[in-house]
Amino acid sequence: MESQETRFARDAENFISHRQTLNIQQCLTAARAQTGKSFGAQVRDIIRLARADGKLQPADYYYFRLYDDAAYPFEEKRRFLSERVHPAVIERCSDPQWRVLADDKFLTYSLLESCGAPVPETQAVYAANGRRFGRVPTLSTADDLAGFLTGAASYPLFAKPLAGIFSLGACRIERREDDTLCLAGGERVPVNAFAVELDREQGYLLQTVLRPHAMLRKYADATSTVRIILIIDNGAPEILHTIWKIPGAGNIADNFWRKGNMLAAVDSDTGTIRRVVRGDGPEMEEVVNHPDSGAPLVGETLPDWRRLIDLVTENARVFAPIRFQSWDVALCEEGPVVVEVNAGSAFNLSQLAKGEGFLTDRYSDFLLSCGYKLKTRH
């Protein structure tokens, strides 16, 4: 039996190694084989891009396949951003007090729910610091949690850290059979053992699993979300990118670091899927049909698109002090449901999905308006 601590450690290791597993020497060789670009030319590119606004590192260069000069003229390469610049961007573009609110999922859900926005059903919260969660039951001890799991819990159940990111440590419980929990992937864990393993100091939300819209179930049973990346400019939300995060077989969450998951660039106006990628670096590939189900992807239109866009744009002003936002919204049977609101957004999602750098002229203007310094006006 794998403990919850082991699961979290494994998730963290997989996440951290997601880009670090790129072997630079192998990438140099693969890039030359794929494009004919010499080692020296690659190194010159890397040095110049490290000094540009994107602060790209060698791993970023290969992660985004920027060695391909036919696909990326140098001026376009300079528009790609490393995640290393994200903290400085967020510092300039958002109120720190509001960042704390967005990081606490329960507070986010409470605020959105008060505004009439649909959010996942939280059946209980497992936390040990004395905090209470209004009408939602608070479980303070392992015995409390075990009692909930054998009593009031409604399955399937999704457990995720209260302030977690990237689905690290998340767990999907499909059902209970007597004193045993059946987890996604077939693992079986005694209720009492699971209750002891779950990290109450970190705090966990125990939520009803969202059921995907019928159109999406031909791709996967796991919940998938659309990432809407937007800015607040002159008090109004403006959508920059819409990305669909597509789960691969066996994954409980749609985060791209999970092996087999995909990213789709989606037309923000129509919800039509324009491009889908799987993998990264020299191994990245574009896919047209879902590799597991065979169902077509490119050219398909996501359901309830207008409702999704209206939901986000109507509620983005609630978090207006966070001027650079991203929203993860699940397309469910009952309609769009807000799963997460973030200060900022990982740049890699749109850069991989669209094959374009994040630092557009529009985004450059926005950064400058926030007081962020750029070496070059893009």
Side-chain angles (χ1 to χ4, degrees), residues 90-102 319-324 343:
I90 295 303
E91 187 67 28
R92 283 292 181 180
C93 299
S94 61
D95 184 318
Q97 297 180 70
W98 279 78
R99 295 202 302 269
V100 172
L101 188 151
F319 295 87
I322 302 174
R323 294 187 60 197
F324 176 32

Coordinates of all heavy atoms in Angstrom, one line a residue, residues 90-102 319-324 343:
I90 N 4.1 38.9 -11.1 CA 3.0 38.9 -10.1 C 3.2 40.0 -9.1 O 2.2 40.6 -8.7 CB 2.9 37.5 -9.4 CG1 2.6 36.4 -10.5 CG2 1.9 37.5 -8.3 CD1 1.3 36.7 -11.2
E91 N 4.4 40.2 -8.6 CA 4.7 41.3 -7.6 C 4.2 42.6 -8.1 O 3.7 43.4 -7.4 CB 6.2 41.3 -7.3 CG 6.6 42.2 -6.2 CD 6.0 41.7 -4.9 OE1 5.8 40.5 -4.7 OE2 5.8 42.6 -4.0
R92 N 4.4 42.9 -9.4 CA 4.0 44.2 -10.0 C 2.5 44.2 -10.3 O 1.9 45.3 -10.4 CB 4.8 44.4 -11.3 CG 6.2 44.9 -11.0 CD 6.2 46.2 -10.4 NE 7.6 46.7 -10.1 CZ 7.8 47.9 -9.5 NH1 6.8 48.7 -9.2 NH2 9.1 48.3 -9.3
C93 N 1.9 43.1 -10.7 CA 0.6 43.1 -11.3 C -0.6 42.7 -10.3 O -1.7 42.6 -10.8 CB 0.5 42.2 -12.5 SG 1.7 42.6 -13.8
S94 N -0.3 42.5 -9.0 CA -1.4 42.1 -8.2 C -1.1 42.6 -6.7 O 0.0 42.7 -6.3 CB -1.5 40.6 -8.2 OG -0.4 39.9 -7.8
D95 N -2.2 42.8 -6.0 CA -2.2 43.2 -4.6 C -1.9 41.9 -3.8 O -2.6 40.9 -3.9 CB -3.6 43.7 -4.2 CG -3.7 44.2 -2.8 OD1 -3.1 43.6 -1.9 OD2 -4.3 45.3 -2.6
P96 N -0.8 42.0 -3.0 CA -0.4 40.8 -2.2 C -1.5 40.2 -1.3 O -1.6 39.0 -1.1 CB 0.8 41.2 -1.4 CG 0.7 42.7 -1.4 CD 0.1 43.1 -2.7
Q97 N -2.3 41.1 -0.8 CA -3.4 40.6 0.1 C -4.4 39.8 -0.7 O -4.9 38.8 -0.2 CB -4.1 41.8 0.8 CG -3.2 42.6 1.7 CD -3.9 43.7 2.4 OE1 -4.8 43.5 3.2 NE2 -3.6 44.9 2.0
W98 N -4.7 40.2 -1.9 CA -5.6 39.4 -2.7 C -5.0 38.1 -3.2 O -5.7 37.2 -3.5 CB -6.1 40.3 -3.9 CG -7.2 41.2 -3.4 CD1 -7.1 42.4 -2.7 CD2 -8.6 41.0 -3.6 NE1 -8.3 42.9 -2.4 CE2 -9.3 42.1 -3.0 CE3 -9.4 40.0 -4.2 CZ2 -10.7 42.2 -2.9 CZ3 -10.7 40.1 -4.2 CH2 -11.4 41.2 -3.6
R99 N -3.7 38.1 -3.4 CA -3.0 36.9 -3.8 C -3.2 35.8 -2.7 O -3.5 34.6 -3.0 CB -1.5 37.1 -4.0 CG -1.2 38.0 -5.2 CD 0.2 37.8 -5.7 NE 1.2 38.0 -4.7 CZ 1.8 39.1 -4.5 NH1 1.5 40.2 -5.1 NH2 2.8 39.2 -3.6
V100 N -3.2 36.2 -1.4 CA -3.4 35.3 -0.3 C -4.8 34.7 -0.4 O -5.1 33.5 -0.2 CB -3.2 36.0 1.0 CG1 -3.6 35.1 2.2 CG2 -1.7 36.4 1.2
L101 N -5.8 35.6 -0.7 CA -7.2 35.1 -0.8 C -7.3 34.1 -2.0 O -8.0 33.1 -1.8 CB -8.1 36.3 -1.1 CG -9.6 36.1 -1.1 CD1 -10.3 37.3 -0.6 CD2 -10.2 35.6 -2.4
A102 N -6.7 34.4 -3.1 CA -6.8 33.5 -4.2 C -6.1 32.1 -4.0 O -6.6 31.1 -4.4 CB -6.2 34.1 -5.5
F319 N -12.1 40.0 -8.4 CA -10.6 39.9 -8.1 C -9.8 40.9 -8.8 O -8.6 40.8 -9.0 CB -10.1 38.5 -8.5 CG -10.7 37.3 -7.7 CD1 -11.9 36.8 -8.1 CD2 -10.2 36.9 -6.5 CE1 -12.5 35.7 -7.4 CE2 -10.7 35.8 -5.8 CZ -11.9 35.2 -6.3
A320 N -10.5 42.1 -9.0 CA -9.8 43.1 -9.8 C -8.5 43.6 -9.3 O -7.6 44.0 -10.1 CB -10.8 44.3 -10.0
P321 N -8.2 43.6 -8.0 CA -6.9 44.0 -7.5 C -5.8 43.0 -8.0 O -4.6 43.4 -7.9 CB -7.0 43.9 -6.0 CG -8.4 44.2 -5.7 CD -9.1 43.5 -6.8
I322 N -6.1 41.8 -8.5 CA -5.2 40.9 -9.1 C -5.3 41.2 -10.6 O -6.3 40.8 -11.3 CB -5.5 39.5 -8.9 CG1 -5.4 39.2 -7.4 CG2 -4.5 38.6 -9.6 CD1 -5.9 37.8 -7.0
R323 N -4.5 42.0 -11.2 CA -4.6 42.5 -12.5 C -4.2 41.5 -13.6 O -4.6 41.6 -14.8 CB -3.8 43.8 -12.8 CG -4.4 45.0 -11.9 CD -3.7 46.3 -12.3 NE -3.9 46.6 -13.7 CZ -3.2 47.5 -14.4 NH1 -2.1 48.1 -13.8 NH2 -3.4 47.7 -15.7
F324 N -3.5 40.5 -13.2 CA -3.1 39.4 -14.1 C -3.7 38.1 -13.5 O -3.2 37.7 -12.4 CB -1.6 39.3 -14.3 CG -1.1 38.2 -15.1 CD1 -1.8 37.6 -16.2 CD2 0.2 37.6 -14.8 CE1 -1.3 36.6 -16.9 CE2 0.7 36.6 -15.5 CZ 0.0 36.1 -16.6
A343 N -3.6 34.0 -9.1 CA -2.8 35.2 -9.5 C -1.8 34.9 -10.5 O -0.9 34.1 -10.2 CB -2.2 35.8 -8.2

